[in-house]
Amino acid sequence: MEKAAGLQALALQWMEKGRSLAGAGVELEIFLQEHRGLSVKAFGGEVESLRYSHSRGVGVRALREGRIGYSYCTGLAWQDVERAVEEAAANSRFSTPDEHNILPGPGVYPSEDLGIYDAEVEEEDSGRKVEMALELESLTLARDRRISQVETAVYADSVSQVAVASTAGVEGYYRHSDCYCYVFPIAREGEEHQTGFSFGLGVKPSDLDLAAVAEDAVERAVCLLGSESMASRRTTLILDSFVAAEFLGVLAAALSAEAVLKGRSFLAGKTGEAIADPLVTLVDDGLLKGGPSTAPFDDEGVPSQRKELIKAGVLQGYLHNTYTASRAGTVSTGNASRGSFRDRPRVGASNMYLLPGTGSRSDILRQVGDGVLVLQVVGAHAGANPISGEISLGALGLLVEGGEPVRPLREITLAGKALDFLRDAVALGGDLRFLPFEGSLGAPTVAIEGVMVAGRGQARS
């Protein structure tokens, strides 16, 4: 991997050379990214796959009188970047002008350690990483006799570096490491099968507690054996932290200023309104120490920051990059996001999470008394609409009576509106967890009263 100083110096050097190449009146941004990753899948006591990936490249944005051009290259030689600069500058002649197409100016980045890189990821032997995937599968199988198979057990890690420089004065560099593991056990009893899931997440391999991941995944599979549907009723939902974090994906999409400006958000025009119970505070924190998406700056060089999007139930604002901020007459929140150097910056959450309350999931169950604990939802993307806020999702979970789980449930459907879910929240646990997929969304256990749960069963006396 290129040395830190090397990447930063390259970005600055290419920005200066590109400035001359593009000509007067053209602003340039150089975004350089290098990524290395390792993924190991275990199955049946053997390594099913081991994949090493390495990608690096440069994205070039050129601005000419409000017209934007973009190009990228996958090499780090000047002749590759030179071609990308020429193409981006040429493209900028033909796009539609927009006065809000501007580059951000220089910012001050945090000097403290954000806890986002540990050399252990690169120093740890690959053999040990293979052993971790196999060990996770073995621990899962040994946890309960009803675990008939492990669908997949994975260890993965990555190290990435980002450097950005622009003619508007932006200069920045950071390095980031992460690693995670996850497992899908299959519990079997008679002809019935149920699948569980759990994961671990950290910045270095030794952060991962394989035994804890295996135990959690097995419990989530085994507890659903013997499940059946229930009679339809309006009841209190207790969303497991995984499920609550999945629901945050709907909010993240609706809180994007890009969606708001395009009229594709059910939260458009509601700034300053009470949209949730006062228990609810939703934070997006790009500086969260050791957070999965923490970085000193976003993907166009704007300093990351912590902001409360919903504070004590009141909507405070939206996520912005430089373009949406200019259109809305405000400033960027440091939420420019790219899939890679191949993409122009859009708007995305960093570490978005519900501020946790207190107590464990068991404490929340006792507080609620009767309800439905939701452990899995089916088709979260298709069944939760960020434009209308309508929610209709299949789910699996546990019926709760007297504060205790009494029987497993399947073939139930949750129906309602996201705004109603926010307004009817009645309890938040202290068990905040981040999902390693779909961005960095974190939530604790959340209880919501008065939700319609549809089932095919008959009411029991």
Side-chain angles (χ1 to χ4, degrees):
M1 184 166 273
E2 295 285 342
K3 299 294 185 184
L7 282 187
Q8 194 164 21
L10 277 177
L12 287 168
Q13 178 187 334
W14 292 336
M15 185 271 291
E16 290 298 340
K17 294 173 76 170
R19 186 204 300 262
S20 303
L21 193 64
V26 178
E27 294 285 315
L28 275 185
E29 176 195 76
I30 301 291
F31 180 85
L32 198 161
Q33 184 183 53
E34 181 173 24
H35 178 277
R36 292 178 187 269
L38 177 75
S39 175
V40 185
K41 284 187 179 180
F43 179 75
E46 298 181 349
V47 177
E48 184 178 46
S49 70
L50 191 158
R51 188 180 68 175
Y52 173 76
S53 61
H54 180 208
S55 65
R56 60 183 185 180
V58 181
V60 180
R61 241 189 331 172
L63 289 174
R64 184 196 307 268
E65 298 175 343
R67 301 174 188 270
I68 190 166
Y70 196 79
S71 186
Y72 69 88
C73 61
T74 56
L76 297 189
W78 167 243
Q79 56 266 35
D80 298 319
V81 181
E82 181 181 35
R83 186 169 59 251
V85 169
E86 290 174 338
E87 290 174 351
N91 292 341
S92 70
R93 296 179 182 277
F94 306 109
S95 64
T96 303
D98 186 334
E99 60 180 318
H100 303 296
N101 280 327
I102 54 177
L103 294 179
V108 178
Y109 304 139
S111 56
E112 68 269 24
D113 180 11
L114 296 176
I116 58 175
Y117 174 78
D118 194 296
E120 182 184 313
V121 172
E122 297 182 273
E123 295 169 353
E124 184 66 86
D125 180 70
S126 294
R128 173 55 190 150
K129 297 174 182 179
V130 169
E131 289 174 1
M132 291 177 73
L134 293 168
E135 186 179 346
L136 178 58
E137 183 191 41
S138 175
L139 287 167
T140 304
L141 285 168
R143 188 73 197 174
D144 191 291
R145 62 174 177 75
R146 290 167 290 182
I147 300 301
S148 61
Q149 190 176 26
V150 170
E151 185 177 312
T152 188
V154 170
Y155 167 88
D157 63 37
S158 67
V159 175
S160 57
Q161 298 186 86
V162 170
V164 61
S166 78
T167 53
V170 166
E171 293 181 27
Y173 166 85
Y174 69 85
R175 179 167 51 177
H176 185 280
S177 67
D178 60 45
C179 60
Y180 60 88
C181 65
Y182 61 87
V183 64
F184 287 93
I186 298 174
R188 178 175 180 175
E189 200 161 57
E191 296 301 315
E192 183 186 3
H193 296 76
Q194 295 291 346
T195 302
F197 165 74
S198 191
F199 66 90
L201 185 65
V203 296
K204 59 184 185 299
S206 58
D207 287 338
L208 304 181
D209 187 338
L210 301 179
V213 172
E215 180 180 2
D216 188 37
V218 168
E219 287 181 359
R220 287 171 181 272
V222 169
C223 76
L224 292 174
L225 288 170
S227 60
E228 55 186 12
S229 192
M230 60 179 277
S232 300
R233 73 178 70 162
R234 196 169 289 280
T235 187
T236 299
L237 280 190
I238 306 99
L239 302 180
D240 171 75
S241 57
F242 288 5
V243 176
E246 285 192 74
F247 274 101
L248 282 191
V250 181
L251 279 184
L255 285 165
S256 161
E258 197 171 8
V260 171
L261 290 168
K262 291 178 178 177
R264 295 175 179 170
S265 168
F266 68 92
L267 295 176
K270 296 188 180 300
T271 303
E273 291 185 20
I275 63 165
D277 186 274
L279 277 173
V280 176
T281 292
L282 181 68
V283 175
D284 183 82
D285 188 356
L287 297 175
L288 181 69
K289 191 172 178 65
S293 292
T294 297
F297 52 84
D298 71 3
D299 283 347
E300 57 182 358
V302 174
S304 300
Q305 57 180 277
R306 181 186 188 277
K307 53 271 180 191
E308 293 179 339
L309 298 162
I310 302 173
K311 183 177 182 180
V314 178
L315 180 62
Q316 305 295 304
Y318 308 107
L319 302 172
H320 284 282
N321 61 13
T322 300
Y323 173 79
T324 63
S326 177
R327 280 195 58 182
T330 183
V331 295
S332 172
T333 56
N335 285 97
S337 176
R338 314 184 194 221
S340 77
F341 59 86
R342 294 176 173 83
D343 306 315
R344 286 168 51 177
R346 300 177 66 88
V347 177
S350 57
N351 303 297
M352 178 181 284
Y353 62 97
L354 279 175
L355 211 60
T358 57
S360 64
R361 189 171 74 186
S362 296
D363 294 330
I364 299 299
L365 295 186
R366 285 190 288 272
Q367 180 180 335
V368 166
D370 296 342
V372 171
L373 170 61
V374 182
L375 295 174
Q376 298 178 28
V377 291
V378 181
H381 293 290
N385 190 326
I387 300 175
S388 65
E390 299 283 344
I391 293 173
S392 180
L393 292 167
L396 296 89
L398 300 170
L399 184 67
V400 177
E401 292 178 354
E404 297 290 337
V406 294
R407 65 182 176 92
L409 299 171
R410 63 179 175 181
E411 297 178 344
I412 58 175
T413 302
L414 319 178
K417 295 182 177 180
L419 279 174
D420 292 337
F421 278 28
L422 289 169
R423 289 172 180 144
D424 296 333
V426 292
L428 299 173
D431 51 346
L432 172 67
R433 290 188 71 178
F434 280 89
L435 273 181
F437 314 111
E438 307 292 340
S440 302
L441 306 172
T445 300
V446 179
I448 304 165
E449 66 180 7
V451 178
M452 188 64 208
V453 178
R456 298 190 301 108
Q458 300 295 316
R460 295 185 178 184
S461 58

